[in-house]
Amino acid sequence: MDVKTILQYVLALFMVAAGVNHFLKPRMYMRIMPPYLPRPRELVLLSGVAEVVLGIFLLVPATTRLAAWGLVALFVAVFPANIYMAQHPEQFRKIPRALLWARLPLQVVLIAWALWYA
């Protein structure tokens, strides 16, 4: 198995685990939702479903490209939550401020990683 394939499995596993976590700890994800977004609980659950489905579809050859583009869209869609966290560190005292800001370029890495399979 080559490195690209191994990393495909890693990304898929990461996405499925993150998606499942949306159902196990929805309040945690609701806290990072910018207040201007409506229906935070529903958005958290919807993003959890999307992460699980896209993670699984990333491993299915017939849907890999579609899943990769879906992940790119998802990473762009959740970017406002990362910006919100960085702009409001007082609401996330348990997370070091530097880590809140590091999440922003991490999104670029995740987008590039997903694009590798698109």
Side-chain angles (χ1 to χ4, degrees):
M1 192 177 298
D2 64 348
V3 172
K4 184 176 181 180
T5 303
I6 291 169
L7 290 175
Q8 183 177 4
Y9 278 88
V10 170
L11 180 58
L13 179 61
F14 172 74
M15 296 311 302
V16 170
V20 168
N21 204 40
H22 281 65
F23 295 95
L24 299 176
K25 299 180 181 184
R27 287 186 185 159
M28 179 181 78
Y29 292 95
M30 288 170 54
R31 284 186 56 232
I32 70 173
M33 296 287 286
Y36 60 82
L37 292 175
R39 306 181 72 92
R41 181 171 180 77
E42 289 81 358
L43 289 174
V44 165
L45 297 177
L46 179 64
S47 62
V49 169
E51 289 177 0
V52 170
V53 169
L54 293 170
I56 292 169
F57 282 7
L58 190 64
L59 299 178
V60 178
T63 58
T64 296
R65 284 194 69 208
L66 179 63
W69 283 111
L71 287 172
V72 169
L74 181 67
F75 295 142
V76 169
V78 301
F79 194 68
N82 292 331
I83 293 172
Y84 177 75
M85 288 181 75
Q87 291 178 330
H88 301 280
E90 70 282 355
Q91 294 183 27
F92 308 99
R93 296 186 197 281
K94 292 182 180 179
I95 303 172
R97 188 175 289 211
L99 187 57
L100 294 174
W101 284 101
R103 290 171 55 99
L104 300 178
L106 177 62
Q107 290 298 114
V108 176
V109 172
L110 291 171
I111 288 168
W113 192 359
L115 282 172
W116 200 12
Y117 304 101

